[in-house]
Amino acid sequence: MNYAVILAGGSGKRLWPLSREKRPKQVLKLLDGETLLRRCFDRLKTMFDARNIIVLTNAGYIDVVSENLTELVMDNIIAEPAVRDTAGAIGLISTVLSKYDSNATIAVVTADQIIQPDEVFQQAINDALSFVNKNPEKMVTFGVKPTFASTTLGYIKCSNAQEVPGCKNQIYSVDAFREKPDETTAKQYLEDGNYFWNSGLFVWKAKTILANLQKFLPEATEPLAKIRAAWDTPTQQEVLKEWFLKLPKISIDFAVMEKAENIHAIKLDCTWLDMGSFAALADVINSDKNNNVVVAEKSELLDCKNDIIVTEDKGHLIAAIGLENVIIAHSPDATFVCPINQMHRIKELLENIKQNKEGEYL
């Protein structure tokens, strides 16, 4: 059977103070009053039975995820007791699903991406599901056609595009995964034409990714076996808390994808955006005549240019004079003001807040 798994564990520090430790970026209402998580779920619900859509999130986010996706039963929201990156998360859900469905096929998506139009994404996922169900030893990732030489995204090198019966998209062979490049290398990738941005989306059989985890990350084998044995028993949570912590903290790319064989790709020729910072809003929200991106019900800007203004507080007015290339992000108990070109220092700021304000505003 086919399943969709939404990874919704990231906190989104670069969207502070709107995103917090107990209120992650995927439940912020920044897109016409909708959340990233809601949009992600809506993209999937026409393709999968709601009973087969599962959200994997941090233990502290269970309530906000449930409030955002009211049609999802609580058993379909699985809490990770600690952060163990994507290899641990994928190992966990693959272990759980394979216990009840030995032939489970999983589409892994993330909650913090903007993908438009939905139809391109849906066709690509359907093609990948069809391909994997006919070729269970193979794994599929999705490459995004790059529009500029990004140094903040990973890349996949693809070749040998083939037409496959039953698939509208061509299926590529993946030659290599490349980490975030420097500017010169990124320009070479763009000119080459065979490199796509690594979307972090996957389709595979649960048993196939588990076999690869066992091969390339053997230290995960015992913890996952213990979790599998205890799942749906009275000791489930106790065992999960004990053994999930013993999983290595590593991404699925580093753990498996950079080493495994039989990896293929489908090109996503669409608008794709990893919603990792306020600056990303400029790519999805129309700006005003002075190129200001405003996500606020009430604002008054005088001689302001190229600014990003954000608040979810409908009753709060943000007013500014003469600002240029500045971010203003307002929340009920904290306001963040920063030149756009200094956004990379936000983690440094948050570390200072953690030390000097005892984490009160995090």
Side-chain angles (χ1 to χ4, degrees), residues 30-48:
L30 300 178
L31 306 172
D32 297 324
E34 289 188 328
T35 69
L36 289 167
L37 179 59
R38 179 78 249 175
R39 287 201 173 182
C40 180
F41 182 84
D42 287 346
R43 279 196 297 270
L44 295 168
K45 70 180 184 181
T46 61
M47 306 164 60
F48 298 87

Side-chain angles (χ1 to χ4, degrees), residues 60-73:
Y61 301 163
I62 288 288
D63 289 341
V64 293
V65 168
S66 179
E67 290 169 7
N68 207 238
L69 303 178
T70 55
E71 59 267 71
L72 210 59
V73 298

Side-chain angles (χ1 to χ4, degrees), residues 56-204:
L56 205 60
T57 190
N58 295 347
Y61 301 163
I62 288 288
D63 289 341
V64 293
V65 168
S66 179
E67 290 169 7
N68 207 238
L69 303 178
T70 55
E71 59 267 71
L72 210 59
V73 298
M74 286 302 296
D75 284 347
N76 282 35
I77 304 174
I78 297 178
E80 300 172 77
V83 177
R84 281 297 174 269
D85 216 319
T86 51
I90 288 167
L92 171 61
I93 191 59
S94 301
T95 294
V96 171
L97 286 176
S98 65
K99 181 172 182 175
Y100 303 102
D101 183 353
S102 61
N103 202 35
T105 305
I106 307 173
V108 179
V109 304
T110 61
D112 56 359
Q113 294 181 353
I114 295 170
I115 302 173
Q116 297 172 334
D118 289 350
E119 293 76 17
V120 172
F121 165 83
Q122 290 162 346
Q123 184 62 58
I125 293 290
N126 279 327
D127 286 350
L129 290 168
S130 174
F131 180 73
V132 167
N133 282 325
K134 294 175 183 175
N135 302 275
E137 77 285 1
K138 299 183 184 298
M139 299 184 287
V140 175
T141 186
F142 299 83
V144 179
K145 184 179 179 180
T147 55
F148 65 95
S150 174
T151 59
T152 62
L153 296 170
Y155 288 74
I156 54 176
K157 184 181 181 182
C158 297
S159 65
N160 193 30
Q162 293 189 358
E163 303 289 340
V164 175
C167 297
K168 291 186 178 180
N169 287 283
Q170 292 181 316
I171 307 293
Y172 292 77
S173 296
V174 173
D175 297 333
F177 282 76
R178 303 296 188 199
E179 293 305 310
K180 300 171 184 176
D182 58 29
E183 186 175 357
T184 299
T185 304
K187 288 180 179 178
Q188 292 172 351
Y189 288 169
L190 187 64
E191 292 171 3
D192 184 281
N194 293 316
Y195 288 86
F196 301 142
W197 289 334
N198 182 358
S199 68
L201 309 174
F202 308 98
V203 171
W204 45 46

Side-chain angles (χ1 to χ4, degrees), residues 248-269:
K249 191 174 182 180
I250 185 173
S251 73
I252 197 67
D253 283 351
F254 278 128
V256 172
M257 304 306 283
E258 293 183 1
K259 306 168 186 175
E261 298 176 347
N262 290 320
I263 300 177
H264 295 265
I266 291 175
K267 180 176 69 172
L268 283 175
D269 197 355

